[in-house]
Amino acid sequence: MFGLFNRKKEKKGFNITSRYGNFIQKENETVLEGALRQNILLPHNCRVGTCRRCEVFINGSTVLACQFSSDSDITLEYNKQWHKANIDNITQLGDEIIKVGLFAPSIELDEEQEGQYVDLTFDKQKNSQRKYSIVSINEKNLILHVKKHPYGEVSNLLANSRHGQEIFISQPQGEFRLPNFDTTPSTGLAIATGSGMGVALTLLDKLCSKYLINPTIISASRKKSLGQYHDLLISDFKQKYPITKDYCMNIDEVNNYLKSSQESNATYIVCGTPELNKLFFDNRVIIEKNRSSIVQESF
């Protein structure tokens, strides 16, 4: 009986802080396993320690997130080299989205990096930075689609920046790209929320250019103001691919669509909120059962 009062309270896990999201790592799992279990997409290519893509810094030491299990609360730090870039142009796309053109002479860029992201800051000494996906690349120029937030320091600075203004960006990184297909996909679907639609359509365009497929676009944004931005991009896309089908759905409707879909050998290109990413994570078994694949990015 007295043992009940003397029993130590078991710790449920350790708090892990990262720029990709905060999560809890349990005692019997690695940092990467804990992140993926909670739908936090830490950078990685494998889970066995060979690619070293998940390398992080913890209290000055270098570890692999796929091999390391923490025994305390920690912060994951990523070594980052900043490169100078200049604002080339700012264009309004609907009420809440701006298209940001950047000139980055010191970075090696190619079209294979479209879909990856860069970290962006106006002051590399401060902690105010955001990551933005690359919608397109042309030699030393890259395009970002940025959603303006009322209290977003970086997005508001971008919206009010001038031509030629100096900023700092990281080298492109991330794994939001088309895989090497064993068989030709039968169809491609881009499902996106917010400013994720721009980069999702970039990958869908690459898919359509390489394979003769019937594309489908699903806008999962709930705000009408973002619908204006989506309508603009979808209209341009359909001019190039007139057979494109497009739908506007909420998250529950997307869920029902996936569960009732008979699509086989399809490629789902997903870029949006954690809620949208979790939906596809939960439906992964159904999708893979139909011999389909998911290209996914949290935005």
Side-chain angles (χ1 to χ4, degrees):
M1 177 177 176
F2 294 104
L4 294 175
F5 297 98
N6 294 328
R7 185 180 301 165
K8 292 184 178 179
K9 185 178 180 180
E10 295 184 2
K11 185 175 178 62
K12 294 183 179 180
F14 305 105
N15 296 315
I16 311 296
T17 302
S18 85
R19 69 183 185 191
Y20 299 96
N22 302 330
F23 57 95
I24 294 176
Q25 175 226 293
K26 295 180 180 179
E27 290 184 340
N28 62 344
E29 63 185 5
T30 66
V31 169
L32 181 60
E33 288 171 342
L36 296 179
R37 175 174 54 81
Q38 292 159 85
N39 302 313
I40 302 297
L41 302 178
L42 296 184
H44 69 284
N45 285 346
C46 72
R47 301 188 188 185
V48 294
T50 58
C51 73
R52 302 193 67 84
R53 180 75 179 83
C54 66
E55 185 175 272
V56 296
F57 294 85
I58 301 174
N59 297 327
S61 299
T62 303
V63 301
L64 298 179
C66 69
Q67 303 296 305
F68 179 77
S69 181
S70 182
D71 59 0
S72 63
D73 298 343
I74 57 172
T75 297
L76 307 183
E77 299 177 347
Y78 292 82
N79 189 23
K80 186 184 298 143
Q81 182 178 1
W82 291 109
H83 302 267
K84 291 181 180 180
N86 298 96
I87 301 290
D88 186 40
N89 58 75
I90 302 291
T91 307
Q92 196 75 31
L93 297 176
D95 292 337
E96 297 190 21
I97 307 295
I98 55 174
K99 181 172 74 171
V100 179
L102 300 178
F103 175 61
S106 63
I107 297 182
E108 293 297 325
L109 297 171
D110 62 68
E111 292 184 357
E112 292 301 314
Q113 295 167 316
E114 292 175 339
Q116 294 185 322
Y117 66 87
V118 294
D119 290 299
L120 185 151
T121 184
F122 281 78
D123 187 344
K124 58 185 178 181
Q125 303 302 324
K126 292 184 177 180
N127 198 32
S128 55
Q129 56 185 263
R130 287 295 305 272
K131 73 171 185 174
Y132 296 110
S133 294
I134 303 171
V135 175
S136 67
I137 291 174
N138 181 13
E139 296 182 348
K140 294 295 184 179
N141 298 279
L142 59 155
I143 299 294
L144 315 174
H145 288 183
V146 176
K147 184 176 183 290
K148 294 185 294 183
H149 294 271
Y151 304 104
E153 180 179 353
V154 177
S155 64
N156 286 324
L157 286 171
L158 282 171
N160 295 294
S161 60
R162 64 185 186 280
H163 174 75
Q165 185 168 348
E166 186 178 84
I167 61 168
F168 300 92
I169 62 174
S170 67
Q171 185 71 28
Q173 53 193 307
E175 300 304 320
F176 192 52
R177 64 181 70 181
L178 296 177
N180 295 319
F181 297 102
D182 295 328
T183 58
T184 301
S186 61
T187 186
L189 301 93
I191 304 98
T193 60
S195 57
M197 182 60 77
V199 69
L201 291 187
T202 293
L203 265 62
L204 185 61
D205 184 23
K206 289 178 181 288
L207 192 67
C208 292
S209 298
K210 189 172 183 179
Y211 305 102
L212 296 176
I213 63 171
N214 297 325
T216 297
I217 303 171
I218 298 177
S219 169
S221 286
R222 291 168 289 187
K223 297 179 66 176
K224 291 183 178 180
S225 55
L226 288 172
Q228 297 172 357
Y229 161 71
H230 285 197
D231 289 344
L232 178 64
L233 296 189
I234 293 171
S235 176
D236 289 343
F237 191 91
K238 293 179 76 171
Q239 288 186 18
K240 188 173 182 180
Y241 304 102
I243 59 174
T244 302
K245 296 183 289 185
D246 68 283
Y247 306 97
C248 182
M249 301 182 184
N250 60 36
I251 291 294
D252 290 336
E253 290 169 336
V254 174
N255 187 37
N256 292 333
Y257 180 90
L258 290 175
K259 293 185 180 302
S260 62
S261 175
Q262 300 299 316
E263 299 284 4
S264 179
N265 196 27
T267 299
Y268 293 87
I269 300 169
V270 185
C271 188
T273 60
E275 185 181 14
L276 181 66
N277 278 280
K278 183 178 185 302
L279 175 65
F280 275 82
F281 186 86
D282 293 341
N283 284 280
R284 186 174 294 271
V285 173
I286 296 175
I287 293 171
E288 292 178 348
K289 184 178 180 181
N290 291 331
R291 296 182 293 110
S292 296
S293 59
I294 306 174
V295 182
Q296 196 166 1
E297 174 71 294
S298 180
F299 199 77

